[in-house]
């Protein structure tokens, strides 16, 4: 499938809606916690077991993004969005079969493995293209698209809860809800496939060489050998682990926190809390990533990690005595969680340039795979052990909250170690690489496009 090149006069502002149609769909993953209670009740699962499809989906997201990043760069966003559509929708259909037959392994296979591949390819499908359309505002551009992934649950959470209420929360009702999800998302993601375009090649990049005006250019192969890449890997992993632990167990967590109070949280209110967290996640992706264009990537990650640790400390100390404090702190944490995802492609662009930023981003998302296992495992495993020990309420999560504070401190330290990439790593394509570079260019590699926007000078992180 040839990448569709934008005709003269094509508005770059038509590209973000294409990206949003895909990211709003695959963002359903953040509403998985709505399905946890009925699955646990109907199939006799523990909290740790019911988290497995979500965990595997995040693992496959990172792995498919890492291994498919170069293919996405080479084949273009339309190819990637098509692959994402097929895998993500098929995952729901397989899960529907698993729920209907009460075969949980099919739900794990469908939602976790097949759907997870769709998550990974779909997640990175528009990122490189958007950065090339908006070289002057990379944080804002990636924030617009990745905002959709955070906001997907804002739609999916109440929608899923309503379907379970209408269809029933038994295995046949769950199956029907999965079926409706798969078919609906296939239609919606098709809009992105049809709409997306890449910029027209202009200037030196058209012959397979990075534009000299674009500044630092580092290949994906070289980037993974630099300390900067691994510092950012730790930063992303710690930030995601801290946020995803709350998000995956959001509905049962708020219920447990206030179960022993005079104002317990209903199932409907818990689903509303999940939707509220998704709104914060979505708002953080566009708000904080746009702010990073003004204050710098290193400074914005100082905010995410430092203030995030303080928010966790407040939840641990007074969260169970005040719903407003618990909700406010959770909203801030999830806004930082979303902002971290949306800002990382621009951080990579600042450090490594636009040459193979999509492939570098895909490799970095293995940090998300790791965090997708660690976050839910820490929260669910500790909660299960505390429950077995006879504890209840907020005490189920105290140890988890302390661990999250420690992880954010580690991430903060890693961010402080980030420095500009040494010139010896800067990349100039050799003759043997010209063909591959030209293929990448066909997907929109030039720093200048039909929009007439010249590649802005990459923002360098602080060297202090």
């Amino acid at each position: 499938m040839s990448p569709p090149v934008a005709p003269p006069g094509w508005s770059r502002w038509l590209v973000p809606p294409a990206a949003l149609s895909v990211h709003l769909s695959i963002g359903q993953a953040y509403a998985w916690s709505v399905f946890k209670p009925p699955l646990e009740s109907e199939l006799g699962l523990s909290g740790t077991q019911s988290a497995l499809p979500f965990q595997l989906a995040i693992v496959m997201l990172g792995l498919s993004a890492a291994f498919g990043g170069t293919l996405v760069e080479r084949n273009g966003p339309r190819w990637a969005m098509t692959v994402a559509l097929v895998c993500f929708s098929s995952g729901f259909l397989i899960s529907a079969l698993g729920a209907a037959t009460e075969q949980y392994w099919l739900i794990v296979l469908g939602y976790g493995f097949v759907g997870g591949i769709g998550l990974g390819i779909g997640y990175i499908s528009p990122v490189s293209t958007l950065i090339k359309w908006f070289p002057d505002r990379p944080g804002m551009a990636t924030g617009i698209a990745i905002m959709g992934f955070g906001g997907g649950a804002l739609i999916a959470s109440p929608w899923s809860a309503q379907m379970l209420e209408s269809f029933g929360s038994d295995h046949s009702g769950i199956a029907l809800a999965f079926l409706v999800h798969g078919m609906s998302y296939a239609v919606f993601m098709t809009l992105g496939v049809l709409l997306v375009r890449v910029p027209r090649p202009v200037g030196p990049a058209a012959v397979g060489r990075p534009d000299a005006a674009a500044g630092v250019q580092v290949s994906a192969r070289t980037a993974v050998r630099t300390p900067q890449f691994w510092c950012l890997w730790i930063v992303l992993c710690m930030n995601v682990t801290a946020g995803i632990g709350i998000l995956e167990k959001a509905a049962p967590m708020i219920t447990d926190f206030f179960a022993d109070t005079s104002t317990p949280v209903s199932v409907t209110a818990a689903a509303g809390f999940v939707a509220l967290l998704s709104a914060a996640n979505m708002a953080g992706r566009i708000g904080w990533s746009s702010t990073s264009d003004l204050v710098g990537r290193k400074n914005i990650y100082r905010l995410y990690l430092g203030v995030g640790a303080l928010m966790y400390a407040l939840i641990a100390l007074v969260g169970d005595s005040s719903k407003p404090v618990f909700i406010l702190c959770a909203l801030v944490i999830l806004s930082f969680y979303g902002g971290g995802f949306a800002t990382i492609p621009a951080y990579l662009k600042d450090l490594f340039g636009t040459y193979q930023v999509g492939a570098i981003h895909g490799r970095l998302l293995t940090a998300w795979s790791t965090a997708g296992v660690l976050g839910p495992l820490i929260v669910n495993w500790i909660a299960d052990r505390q429950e077995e020990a006879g504890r209840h309420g907020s005490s189920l999560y105290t140890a988890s909250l302390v661990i999250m504070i420690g992880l954010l401190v580690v991430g903060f330290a890693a961010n402080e170690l980030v420095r500009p990439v040494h010139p010896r790593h800067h990349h100039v394509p050799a003759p043997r690489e010209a063909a591959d570079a030209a293929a990448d260019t066909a997907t929109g590699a030039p720093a200048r496009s039909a929009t007439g926007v010249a590649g802005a000078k990459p923002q360098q992180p602080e060297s202090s």
Side-chain angles (χ1 to χ4, degrees), residues 9-36:
W10 180 268
S11 173
R12 63 179 180 170
W13 292 102
L14 293 174
V15 180
L20 278 172
S21 71
V22 173
H23 274 234
L24 280 171
S25 299
I26 63 178
Q28 184 281 335
Y30 284 145
W32 176 252
S33 64
V34 175
F35 287 102
K36 282 171 63 70

Side-chain angles (χ1 to χ4, degrees), residues 48-271:
T48 303
Q49 290 172 325
S50 67
L52 185 57
F54 175 82
Q55 288 177 290
L56 181 57
I58 299 302
V59 169
M60 293 310 301
L61 185 158
L63 293 178
S64 60
F67 289 105
T70 302
L71 289 175
V72 172
E73 286 279 323
R74 181 170 297 155
N75 296 328
R78 177 169 287 180
W79 173 87
M81 289 179 179
T82 302
V83 172
L85 184 160
V86 172
C87 291
F88 189 65
S89 298
S90 298
F92 270 110
L93 300 183
I94 296 171
S95 297
L97 178 62
T101 58
E102 299 185 68
Q103 297 294 315
Y104 187 58
W105 69 270
L106 277 175
I107 299 177
V108 176
L109 173 67
Y111 191 93
F113 184 80
V114 179
I117 294 173
L119 285 178
I121 300 299
Y123 189 86
I124 64 173
S125 61
V127 171
S128 177
T129 300
L130 280 165
I131 286 178
K132 290 158 186 172
W133 273 112
F134 294 86
D136 51 329
R137 286 178 280 183
M140 180 211 69
T142 55
I144 289 175
I146 295 176
M147 172 184 70
F149 194 90
L154 186 62
I155 300 170
S157 181
W159 184 37
S160 300
Q162 182 60 50
M163 279 195 286
L164 291 173
E165 184 177 335
S166 301
F167 302 151
S169 57
D170 59 357
H171 66 92
S172 60
I174 297 170
L176 189 53
F178 283 151
L179 180 63
V180 172
H181 273 302
M183 297 178 67
S184 300
Y185 287 133
V187 173
F188 195 57
M189 292 172 76
T190 299
L191 299 176
V193 172
L194 297 176
L195 187 60
V196 73
R197 298 287 188 278
V198 297
R200 298 174 66 83
V202 177
V207 295
R209 292 184 179 274
D211 191 336
V216 176
Q217 301 294 341
V218 181
S219 69
R221 179 177 296 182
T222 302
V224 298
R225 298 170 182 168
T226 64
Q228 287 84 353
F229 177 89
W230 292 105
C231 283
L232 290 189
W233 193 96
I234 294 171
V235 166
L236 183 63
C237 185
M238 298 300 101
N239 193 54
V240 173
T241 300
I244 208 167
I246 281 186
L247 195 56
E248 186 274 336
K249 202 174 175 66
M253 186 175 185
I254 192 171
T255 302
D256 291 336
F257 247 78
F258 299 99
D260 299 330
T261 68
S262 59
T263 56
V265 176
S266 67
V267 174
T268 303

Side-chain angles (χ1 to χ4, degrees), residues 238-248 253 257 304-319 325-326 328-330 332-334 336-337 375 379 397-409:
M238 298 300 101
N239 193 54
V240 173
T241 300
I244 208 167
I246 281 186
L247 195 56
E248 186 274 336
M253 186 175 185
F257 247 78
Y304 299 157
L305 300 160
V307 176
L310 294 177
M311 294 297 102
Y312 265 112
L314 279 175
I315 292 177
L317 293 173
V318 299
V325 170
F326 178 90
L328 179 61
C329 289
V332 172
I333 290 170
L334 263 295
F336 291 161
Y337 169 81
V379 175
Y397 304 98
T398 303
S400 300
L401 296 174
V402 173
I403 291 173
M404 298 304 177
I405 293 171
L407 293 177
L408 288 171
V409 171

